[in-house]
Amino acid sequence: MAQLETEIRYLKGIGEKKAQAFHKLGVFTLYDLVSFFPRRYEDRSVYRSIALTQNGESVCIRALVADTPRLSRIRRGLDLVRFRAVDESGMVEITYFNQSYRKDNIHKGESYVFYGKIEVSGSRRSMVNPVCEREGVQGGVTGRIVPVYRLVSGLTQNNVIQSVRQGLNECGEQIPEILPEPVRRQEQLCPARYAYENVHFPADFNALEIARRRLVFEELFVLSCALGKIRGERVREQGIQLREVEVQEFYDTLPFSPTGAQRRAVEEALHDMDSGSVMNRLVQGDVGSGKTLVAAALIWAAWKNGLCSAFMAPTEILAQQHTATLNGFLAPFGIRIGKLTGSSTAKEKREIKAALKSGELDLIIGTHALFSEDVEYGNLGLVITDEQHRFGVGQRSALIGKGQRPHVLVMSATPIPRTLALILYGDLDVSIIDELPPGRQKVDTFAVNESYRDRLNGFIRKLASEGRQIFVVCPMVEENEDLPIPLKSAEEHARELSEAFPELRVACVHGRMKAKEKDAVMSAFLSGETDVLVSTTVIEVGVDVPNAALMVVENAERFGLSQLHQLRGRVGRGSHKSWCILVSDSDGEDVRARLDILCRTNDGFKVAEEDLRLRGPGDFFGSRQSGLPEMHAADLGADTQVLQRAQQAALSLLAADPELETPEHRLLRDHVDRLFRANADSFN
Ligand code: ADP
Ligand code: MG
């Protein structure tokens, strides 16, 4: 008899070819197969009267074939089979293209069930290539709610349906009940067996809902247990305990007053650091919300406790900028600051490393070089990483390994809807800076098409003549890309702009340049030596050019909303009125709707929420390396309430049994471990 771990080859109708197609879908075993949930469903459970069907509807009808199906060859490679079918209410014309076998399978005078899209024109009704089944066939593909699966070439819906049916028949009884009984009772969730059966072959929509609710809960519950377990282990991990400091002392030296949100983030982090456990906190804040100040306050607190801090930036330029900014905040206290990047000279590196080892530095700022193997820290207490999405979690832990379990603060400028931050960064505690410093100007945003080009060029000329600088961003062009709309490559566009503006200094920076070259171009722009910088998204992260007042994004339809918001955040950082122009010739309604959101709001969290709503979580998360395991049942955008319940249930379960050691949690632990194994990269 088949087991859940049996390979799908075992099933009837699955040969080598089909098995390989299934493998592409991540389906190897029968367990994988029954866990391969439908993408959507078609309601073929209700039969409709022909006369009552409406144009464009997908319907199931029961009808008698009224004449002998006729085959006609239109030309080579195109033939069709036509006939009429009737019920008590009316008549429908049915046509099959290139399915000549239908001529012999469908017989005049017999009854069939047809499922497909109805076209109505005048009083004439027709259907093209409908699903067809003899009436009364059991377990067929009409007369009920039919699942629709994701496919790859080599597989048909029927292949999957029949395989899943076999899989469930063979080992549906063996599907383990991994939800602990009390949780299942409290949440009123159906048994596993019922859920798996009805998510594939629902008896009715009610049963489907019950099944889905359980599976979504289960998936989010296992994920929450996994994340909760990591977090629990971290909490029990002892950290350097800081003495309490009076942070107002630091605030008093600032030229401005920190916002409430900044103070709250600092307080939360300080609370972590004097708790005795190690801090793992994410500070999430929109561009310009002042995350650097939060970092500075914590570095100051660490220094007050005699501890050294390390600050990691994703690029040389950013390391440089942060050095300047942090110097401004911290040097007045006599805090000793060093910088270590790939371009430091051998001598500089040697000196910095020696100083770090002997504890002569209080803050080191740098790039990846900070965690190269031969850097040793004397008294590392705090690690801060900026713009986290550029760092793998693995890289983070490489640096963490350097100290005596230093506290870790991660700063991210990619807003994520509140409900999801917990899951995405489940191994971190989260502080959100949801307030901008007062007096911040809104960046006026417009979405335009090609017809606006001359005016746009005029605008660029005008701003440049006033001494402002301009960013122009083009999408990355992959080679061999087959594109419906022509894309501007950065280099090409830079050439065009230099021709259009002979009086301006136009530079170009793109992803294929060497780091050194990129930095040189960026530095020239920073110091005002160039007027217009054309680039791919390499400038996305926090570069600060206060004199830049215009951001132009070409082929804006190619960017995610959050990414566009990030880009827009590159301007409006000084005292100058700033603009963002999104150029797109795409007339798709969805594109317009998306760009419109940016024109309406400057709030990154709102942008993220709308983005999530419009695109669905798959794309939303796909666009950043989230490290989030792929969800089979749950829709993270829509299932937030279940998510909250699952998180709560997971937390109380872990409170009682942190390691999931008791026998009744053994299966659950297996599943949690399995999730860890499958996603080793993101969790480690
Ligand atoms: P981001 O969160 O994008 O990294 P920064 O830390 O670069 O933002 O801060 C953006 C600008 O706002 C900086 O010039 C900083 O000095 C300034 N700033 C930060 N906090 C405040 C505040 N509370 N009041 C006024 N200006 C502030
Ligand atoms: Mg920043």
Side-chain angles (χ1 to χ4, degrees):
M1 207 183 90
Q3 308 287 311
L4 283 168
E5 300 312 326
T6 303
E7 289 186 19
I8 46 170
R9 271 298 295 271
Y10 167 89
L11 294 176
K12 273 207 280 308
I14 306 232
E16 186 56 38
K17 277 235 173 69
K18 289 216 162 61
Q20 274 172 7
F22 268 117
H23 293 174
K24 285 202 195 111
L25 292 166
V27 173
F28 295 86
T29 65
L30 295 188
Y31 200 2
D32 296 334
L33 180 64
V34 298
S35 308
F36 182 64
F37 301 137
R39 216 159 39 101
R40 59 186 180 86
Y41 301 84
E42 281 178 359
D43 185 4
R44 305 183 192 169
S45 63
V46 184
Y47 298 109
R48 300 278 300 277
S49 293
I50 292 175
L52 296 180
T53 58
Q54 300 193 357
N55 190 29
E57 273 187 304
S58 290
V59 294
C60 232
I61 56 168
R62 221 174 343 199
L64 184 83
V65 172
D67 45 22
T68 306
R70 275 165 294 123
L71 173 69
S72 32
R73 290 243 138 75
I74 303 298
R75 57 177 156 79
R76 207 188 157 92
L78 178 65
D79 55 47
L80 37 92
V81 173
R82 300 181 100 141
F83 56 90
R84 290 174 300 173
V86 295
D87 67 5
E88 315 78 63
S89 72
M91 189 263 284
V92 60
E93 284 174 26
I94 293 180
T95 308
Y96 286 101
F97 286 100
N98 289 342
Q99 301 184 19
S100 52
Y101 64 92
R102 299 273 186 190
K103 178 172 133 3
D104 306 317
N105 287 1
I106 295 175
H107 306 288
K108 179 181 175 183
E110 291 182 9
S111 276
Y112 297 86
V113 175
F114 297 98
Y115 174 82
K117 200 156 153 190
I118 284 276
E119 278 169 57
V120 184
S121 97
S123 62
R124 194 169 150 249
R125 289 186 151 72
S126 56
M127 261 179 169
V128 173
N129 293 348
V131 171
C132 169
E133 222 171 24
R134 200 180 282 272
E135 204 190 335
V137 172
Q138 277 297 304
V141 292
T142 64
R144 55 186 177 79
I145 300 168
V146 175
V148 180
Y149 297 90
R150 191 154 61 84
L151 292 180
V152 290
S153 76
L155 283 181
T156 64
Q157 288 297 344
N158 264 340
N159 294 151
V160 183
I161 288 176
Q162 275 156 22
S163 307
V164 172
R165 185 64 271 163
Q166 277 189 68
L168 282 170
N169 291 349
E170 290 278 346
C171 46
E173 297 300 334
Q174 300 166 37
I175 293 171
E177 184 59 74
I178 60 173
L179 287 180
E181 185 56 29
V183 172
R184 204 160 69 74
R185 218 174 318 116
Q186 189 195 323
E187 298 293 327
Q188 305 187 327
L189 298 168
C190 69
R193 174 76 179 93
Y194 179 93
Y196 278 81
E197 176 66 32
N198 279 280
V199 79
H200 291 290
F201 305 109
D204 52 42
F205 278 104
N206 192 33
L208 173 59
E209 189 45 42
I210 290 171
R212 214 187 82 82
R213 200 176 108 70
R214 174 201 156 109
L215 294 169
V216 169
F217 185 94
E218 175 177 316
E219 184 161 49
L220 296 173
F221 180 75
V222 171
L223 178 62
S224 302
C225 283
L227 296 169
K229 219 164 148 252
I230 307 179
R231 200 183 284 187
E233 275 152 22
R234 295 252 170 91
V235 167
R236 283 191 303 282
E237 225 174 282
Q238 289 204 338
I240 307 159
Q241 185 163 17
L242 269 65
R243 273 176 293 105
E244 272 184 48
V245 291
E246 198 42 72
V247 71
Q248 187 59 42
E249 208 182 297
F250 170 72
Y251 293 155
D252 285 342
T253 66
L254 298 174
F256 45 70
S257 173
T259 62
Q262 284 171 319
R263 287 172 196 264
R264 210 160 41 240
V266 171
E267 233 160 72
E268 285 166 353
L270 287 178
H271 180 73
D272 292 347
M273 294 200 289
D274 62 34
S275 69
S277 306
V278 91
M279 168 170 80
N280 283 284
R281 182 167 291 276
L282 168 76
V283 174
Q284 231 199 333
D286 209 344
V287 279
S289 60
K291 292 179 290 292
T292 321
L293 175 66
V294 174
L298 301 180
I299 293 165
W300 176 85
W303 166 76
K304 279 289 233 185
N305 278 266
L307 294 168
C308 171
S309 301
F311 188 114
M312 274 200 305
T315 64
E316 295 253 333
I317 297 268
L318 283 169
Q320 215 148 2
Q321 286 198 344
H322 282 309
T323 308
T325 314
L326 290 171
N327 240 310
F329 287 134
L330 299 170
F333 292 96
I335 293 178
R336 297 160 301 176
I337 303 179
K339 182 162 75 85
L340 184 67
T341 69
S343 69
S344 309
T345 64
K347 179 157 169 287
E348 284 166 347
K349 281 184 187 161
R350 232 180 6 255
E351 284 169 7
I352 290 280
K353 281 181 204 163
L356 277 174
K357 195 170 172 187
S358 63
E360 284 162 46
L361 279 178
D362 306 309
L363 168 63
I364 179 75
I365 300 168
T367 54
H368 298 59
L370 283 188
F371 49 99
S372 65
E373 272 168 29
D374 58 344
V375 182
E376 290 174 59
Y377 292 86
N379 56 346
L380 185 62
L382 171 64
V383 173
I384 299 176
T385 75
D386 188 21
E387 311 295 353
Q388 181 259 350
H389 55 289
R390 294 283 169 119
F391 280 110
V393 183
Q395 286 171 305
R396 249 197 282 147
S397 42
L399 185 48
I400 294 164
K402 297 255 171 220
Q404 294 279 35
R405 292 210 180 94
H407 298 291
V408 176
L409 187 81
V410 175
M411 304 201 296
S412 167
T414 313
I416 293 161
R418 229 169 242 280
T419 40
L420 298 181
L422 240 183
I423 273 285
L424 252 191
Y425 297 105
D427 59 331
L428 303 173
D429 296 307
V430 180
S431 295
I432 293 181
I433 310 189
D434 50 4
E435 183 185 352
L436 292 184
R440 210 34 81 71
Q441 293 194 35
K442 166 171 174 296
V443 177
D444 280 342
T445 307
F446 300 94
V448 304
N449 58 23
E450 252 343 286
S451 71
Y452 193 87
R453 180 67 62 192
D454 285 344
R455 285 174 68 191
L456 175 56
N457 285 351
F459 191 48
I460 292 176
R461 227 171 258 126
K462 172 171 170 290
L463 284 176
S465 74
E466 289 167 6
R468 298 290 79 73
Q469 285 168 287
I470 291 109
F471 282 114
V472 179
V473 173
C474 299
M476 204 90 87
V477 185
E478 307 286 339
E479 276 162 46
N480 314 324
E481 231 176 334
D482 241 347
L483 294 163
I485 310 171
L487 283 189
K488 299 246 179 216
S489 92
E491 277 171 308
E492 229 175 85
H493 193 54
R495 254 195 313 277
E496 280 173 32
L497 289 183
S498 334
E499 278 163 29
F501 309 120
E503 75 281 17
L504 299 183
R505 296 158 301 175
V506 179
C508 178
V509 59
H510 56 77
R512 279 192 294 269
M513 287 162 74
K514 291 206 185 72
K516 274 234 162 71
E517 296 171 328
K518 276 191 239 175
D519 282 351
V521 178
M522 282 305 303
S523 304
F525 189 68
L526 266 171
S527 59
E529 288 160 39
T530 40
D531 304 297
V532 180
L533 181 66
V534 183
S535 71
T536 52
T537 50
V538 288
I539 53 145
E540 186 185 334
V541 280
V543 185
D544 210 357
V545 186
N547 190 41
L550 174 62
M551 166 63 66
V552 179
V553 184
E554 298 289 339
N555 292 101
E557 75 280 354
R558 296 272 294 192
F559 296 85
L561 278 193
S562 295
Q563 206 180 5
L564 288 173
H565 178 71
Q566 281 281 310
L567 289 171
R568 169 168 67 179
R570 295 305 109 222
V571 297
R573 298 176 79 82
S575 52
H576 308 291
K577 168 79 200 141
S578 300
W579 291 267
C580 175
I581 311 285
L582 308 169
V583 186
S584 173
D585 240 12
S586 158
D587 46 15
E589 249 174 66
D590 48 333
V591 172
R592 290 288 138 203
R594 282 178 353 99
L595 298 184
D596 226 42
I597 294 168
L598 286 167
C599 301
R600 282 201 314 268
T601 180
N602 266 258
D603 179 336
F605 286 97
K606 283 218 184 82
V607 170
E609 261 164 38
E610 288 283 311
D611 196 16
L612 178 64
R613 196 178 57 76
L614 281 180
R615 286 202 295 167
D619 287 342
F620 183 83
F621 289 112
S623 68
R624 60 184 57 117
Q625 307 106 359
S626 64
L628 190 75
E630 194 192 342
M631 296 282 108
H632 295 281
D635 172 344
L636 287 173
D639 293 322
T640 48
Q641 268 175 0
V642 185
L643 170 59
Q644 273 163 10
R645 294 198 70 92
Q647 279 173 340
Q648 266 159 23
L651 286 183
S652 33
L653 189 83
L654 287 171
D657 182 10
E659 292 297 330
L660 303 176
E661 281 163 332
T662 62
E664 62 271 27
H665 296 154
R666 194 184 55 84
L667 276 173
L668 175 61
R669 198 188 58 201
D670 288 350
H671 270 72
V672 169
D673 288 347
R674 191 199 279 229
L675 189 67
F676 277 125
R677 273 200 307 279
N679 296 278
D681 295 344
S682 34
F683 284 121
N684 290 324

